Amino acid sequence: TMYLEGLLHQLNESGCRIFEHTPVVEFHDGEPCLVRTPRGRITADAVILATHAPLNRLFVQTKLAHYRSYAMAFLYDGEIGDALFWDTDSPYHYIRKATIDDANYIIVGGEDHKTGQDDHAALAFDRLLAYANKRFGVHAATHRWSGQIIEPIDGLPFIGRNSASKNVFIATGFSG
C-alpha cells in the first residue's frame, strides 16, 4: 500500500491524472487522445489502459486466454506460512492466508477452466471444499467467489504501446 500511495503521489505531482471507477466506453489515439466515458470526455497527450481486459479487441485479445477461477475462505487458527502456496495438479490449487478484523482465514482457490467451457460452478466449489477439508480439517466456508483471470499465451504480461497506436499504451495479462 505504501508503494502505491507513493507512486500515486508522484504521478499526481507530475501532472498525470488517474480516473478510478470511470468505465471507458471508447478511446481514440491522436494528438490529443480522446477517451469517452458515461460521464463525459477526457482528452490527454497519452493514455494508459491498465485493465483486466483491454478494449483493443483486434490484436491483443488473440494473445490472451480467459479463465474462470474459484476461491473459498475459511476461518483458520492453525499455522500457515506467510506465502502463496500452489500445487502442480491440473487444475491447480493455491493456498494463502489472510487476516481481516483480527480473524485469521485461509483462502483456497483454483479449479480453473477456460471461460465458457464448464458451467458446473457448484462442482468446482465442492472440489475446493474437499481439498481444503483434507488438508486443513475445515468444513464450512465463510466466503466463496469466482472471478475471471486473463492469461497471456506466453506467460508474460503485455506492457507497452497499443498495437497500431502512437499515444495509447496498455498493461494487461498479469494472470491471477
Side-chain angles (χ1 to χ4, degrees), residues 27 29 47 49 54-60 159-172:
F27 69 92
D29 189 23
V47 173
L49 300 170
L55 295 174
N56 176 336
R57 305 231 186 265
L58 182 58
F59 299 111
V60 174
I159 304 171
R161 191 176 310 277
N162 194 31
S163 300
S165 295
K166 182 177 178 185
N167 297 311
V168 177
F169 301 84
I170 62 169
T172 191

